[in-house]
């Protein structure tokens, strides 16, 4: 097996690292504290090509592979996981799905704006009573001839208030169960479409998450993605790819925590020596470095599977399951290594610890990843 990155992949990694360190680091604590959406930073990410990395240049994208996307996601997540979740949803759940299954007209209409950062996309699947159980959609898209009448509520929508384009999952033919589900492109400003207030979250506080309400929203038929009833498969496919992005986000939170802890351990002295010379700290660093390397290999494996057009449902779920646990464990240990300093905001690690938790919840909880993995193993 060749574990070497190509020149292009290394260049993307270096560019993302440079951007994160120079443009995201300053101000990240304040954005977290005040739940400030990183509008300027996202605009720059669009200009640098981080919002439509895998989209073909024909539609304004970077035409890059999934490995490059994973590398960029790790670097950006090391510093600001709020920016990286916005990036991940836009790239994986919105742009990728639109390019793969959208009509030529839909692609030309939405992708150039989404890839350049002029507009942001959101993906609306979760509902008050349908999170993990995604087939139980209560939102309805009634077929009215040349339009769908959309009614219902969506919960926990990333980019909920700032997006302009929403891919909304809704039930058209309940008797067909998940085979009656459609995904519709809904634009902000459509009559009857209302966004709820921003949620006050534990972590990724710079990103905006809210509920969406649809009250008799008329969505033109040409806004449906794919054939009638294709919506659930579409959602499962974009989520399978999205899990690689969130795995890379978790990896970045883990490696960002580790890098801060390593640096601190060489500077901070206790009992006359830097704490890195104490075995208690060395063992923690060794565990962190080992699990982070393992998480990175799983992320790259899943990305390589996707790039080689191999099935990536299992490898993506494994990467997300393991990387999100690694993010949690490493960020907790980074706080512990920092001692009292780890418990205050200036040292960044408490924020990384809060941000880590969501990676075990969104785009399928850890329990959902185990369901996906075990089904693949047993089928
Ligand atoms: N690709 C294509 N099709 C797939 C698929 C995949 N990866 N996975 C499943 N399917 C298809 C199946 O083949 C099946 O189709 P047929 O019946 O036509 O053969 C259909 O989908 C239903 O599959 P299952 O019977 O496996 O469905 P299930 O109800 O048992 O549940 C599940 C499967 C894995 C639990 C699924 O419901 C799931 O993934 N749940 C979690 C949803 C989730 O991730 N929510 C997160 C919200 S988005 C988010 O968090 C974004 C954000 O803001 C950051």
């Amino acid at each position: 097996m060749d574990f070497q990155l190509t020149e292009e992949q290394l260049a993307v990694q270096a560019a993302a690292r440079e951007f994160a360190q120079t443009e995201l680091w300053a101000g990240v604590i304040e954005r977290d504290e005040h739940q400030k959406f990183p509008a300027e930073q996202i605009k720059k990410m669009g200009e640098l090509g981080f919002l439509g990395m895998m989209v073909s240049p024909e539609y304004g994208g970077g035409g890059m592979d999934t490995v490059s996307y994973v590398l960029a996601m790790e670097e950006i997540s090391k510093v600001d996981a709020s920016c990286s979740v916005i990036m991940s949803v836009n790239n994986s759940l919105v742009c990728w799905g639109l390019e793969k299954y959208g009509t030529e007209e839909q692609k030309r209409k939405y992708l150039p704006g989404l890839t350049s950062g002029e507009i942001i996309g959101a993906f609306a699947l979760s509902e008050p009573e349908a999170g993990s159980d995604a087939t139980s959609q209560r939102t309805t898209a009634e077929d009215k001839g040349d339009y769908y009448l959309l009614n219902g509520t969506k919960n926990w929508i990333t980019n909920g208030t700032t997006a302009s384009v929403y891919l909304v999952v809704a039930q058209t033919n309940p008797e067909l169960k998940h085979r009656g589900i459609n995904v519709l492109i809904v634009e902000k400003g459509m009559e009857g479409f209302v966004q709820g207030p921003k949620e006050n979250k534990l972590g990724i506080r710079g990103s905006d998450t809210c509920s969406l309400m649809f009250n008799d929203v008329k969505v033109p038929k040409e806004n449906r993605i794919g054939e009638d009833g294709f919506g659930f498969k579409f959602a499962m496919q974009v989520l399978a790819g999205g899990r690689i992005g969130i795995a890379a986000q978790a990896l970045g939170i883990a490696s960002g925590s580790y890098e801060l802890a390593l640096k601190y351990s060489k500077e901070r002295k206790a009992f006359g020596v830097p704490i890195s010379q104490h075995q208690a700290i060395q063992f923690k660093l060794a565990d962190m470095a080992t699990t982070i390397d393992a998480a990175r290999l799983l992320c790259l494996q899943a990305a390589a599977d996707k790039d080689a057009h191999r099935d990536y449902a299992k490898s993506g779920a494994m990467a997300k399951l393991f990387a999100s646990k690694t993010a949690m464990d490493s960020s907790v240990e980074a706080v512990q290594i920092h001692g009292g300093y780890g418990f205050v905001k200036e040292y960044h690690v408490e924020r990384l610890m809060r941000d880590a938790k969501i990676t075990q919840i969104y785009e399928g909880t850890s329990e959902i990843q185990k369901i996906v993995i075990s089904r693949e193993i047993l089928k």
Side-chain angles (χ1 to χ4, degrees):
M1 261 177 120
D2 183 6
F3 290 105
Q4 296 308 308
L5 298 174
T6 65
E7 294 275 313
E8 291 81 5
Q9 289 162 345
L10 287 168
V12 172
Q13 184 183 45
R17 185 177 300 151
E18 166 81 12
F19 170 74
Q21 299 297 332
T22 57
E23 305 275 352
L24 299 183
W25 180 258
V28 63
I29 293 174
E30 197 202 355
R31 291 195 294 275
D32 169 75
E33 174 100 3
H34 301 294
Q35 300 197 77
K36 188 167 180 276
F37 185 80
E40 274 171 45
Q41 291 75 13
I42 292 297
K43 188 170 173 281
K44 282 190 186 151
M45 285 169 72
E47 286 161 10
L48 291 168
F50 291 127
L51 296 183
M53 292 184 69
M54 294 166 289
V55 174
S56 144
E58 197 188 338
Y59 303 109
M64 288 177 231
D65 58 10
T66 318
V67 168
S68 300
Y69 171 54
V70 160
L71 298 171
M73 278 293 297
E74 180 183 357
E75 292 305 324
I76 287 167
S77 307
K78 277 182 188 175
V79 179
D80 190 343
S82 293
C83 283
S84 69
V85 70
I86 299 162
M87 169 177 167
S88 178
V89 167
N90 206 69
N91 273 283
S92 298
L93 301 187
V94 182
C95 288
W96 184 83
L98 263 176
E99 184 172 25
K100 183 143 175 83
Y101 294 108
T103 61
E104 193 54 35
E105 204 187 348
Q106 290 169 348
K107 292 193 248 193
R108 298 226 172 266
K109 184 168 179 193
Y110 299 109
L111 283 175
L114 287 166
T115 53
S116 66
E118 193 187 313
I119 56 169
I120 300 173
F123 178 78
L125 170 82
S126 301
E127 298 190 351
E129 290 173 71
S132 294
D133 181 8
T135 56
S136 298
Q137 292 290 307
R138 298 269 171 90
T139 299
T140 53
E142 222 181 312
D143 189 338
K144 293 285 188 186
D146 55 357
Y147 67 90
Y148 286 103
L149 196 63
L150 189 62
N151 277 290
T153 302
K154 295 288 175 184
N155 261 22
W156 320 124
I157 307 306
T158 303
N159 302 338
T161 65
T162 41
S164 301
V165 175
Y166 300 74
L167 305 190
V168 181
V169 183
Q171 180 58 266
T172 298
N173 292 299
E175 64 285 1
L176 297 179
K177 300 195 171 132
H178 66 271
R179 292 181 188 157
I181 289 175
N182 281 311
V183 170
L184 307 178
I185 305 171
V186 177
E187 293 179 17
K188 187 181 255 165
M190 281 184 169
E191 205 179 328
F193 175 27
V194 182
Q195 296 90 46
K198 201 166 158 173
E199 303 285 355
N200 187 0
K201 306 190 298 276
L202 173 74
I204 54 162
R205 287 167 58 81
S207 75
D208 72 306
T209 308
C210 72
S211 307
L212 307 175
M213 276 70 74
F214 303 97
N215 306 307
D216 284 341
V217 181
K218 287 182 179 172
V219 185
K221 265 276 169 70
E222 64 260 26
N223 283 26
R224 188 185 71 212
I225 300 185
E227 293 298 307
D228 188 23
F230 179 64
F232 193 74
K233 285 222 171 196
F234 175 86
M236 289 299 109
Q237 286 202 28
V238 296
L239 279 170
R243 285 166 188 159
I244 303 175
I246 296 302
Q249 179 188 48
L251 169 65
I253 293 170
S255 54
S257 305
Y258 166 74
E259 286 174 14
L260 290 171
L262 180 65
K263 183 168 176 284
Y264 181 81
S265 73
K266 291 179 186 166
E267 291 164 2
R268 167 79 174 166
K269 285 194 175 143
F271 304 101
V273 291
I275 60 170
S276 60
Q277 290 186 29
H278 295 300
Q279 204 175 47
I281 302 296
Q282 291 169 354
F283 281 8
K284 286 187 194 302
L285 292 171
D287 279 341
M288 288 160 88
T290 305
T291 48
I292 289 166
D293 268 11
R296 189 175 294 107
L297 287 172
L298 282 174
C299 287
L300 292 173
Q301 174 68 65
D305 283 345
K306 185 159 177 288
D307 289 334
H309 307 290
R310 292 187 292 262
D311 192 351
Y312 52 88
K314 183 179 78 173
S315 55
M318 283 180 164
K320 182 177 182 292
L321 177 67
F322 189 79
S324 59
K325 183 172 185 323
T326 304
M328 212 56 248
D329 294 348
S330 298
S331 58
V332 168
E333 287 295 50
V335 170
Q336 191 67 21
I337 290 170
H338 280 75
Y341 292 99
F343 206 62
V344 295
K345 292 188 184 293
E346 293 91 297
Y347 284 77
H348 293 268
V349 285
E350 65 82 33
R351 174 177 48 80
L352 290 164
M353 185 178 83
R354 286 185 286 106
D355 288 348
K357 189 61 206 168
I358 192 61
T359 66
Q360 294 186 305
I361 298 172
Y362 58 22
E363 294 198 27
T365 59
S366 297
E367 292 72 22
I368 289 291
Q369 307 314 314
K370 290 181 194 182
I371 290 175
V372 173
I373 296 162
S374 56
R375 281 181 182 186
E376 292 292 325
I377 293 168
L378 294 167
K379 82 181 177 190

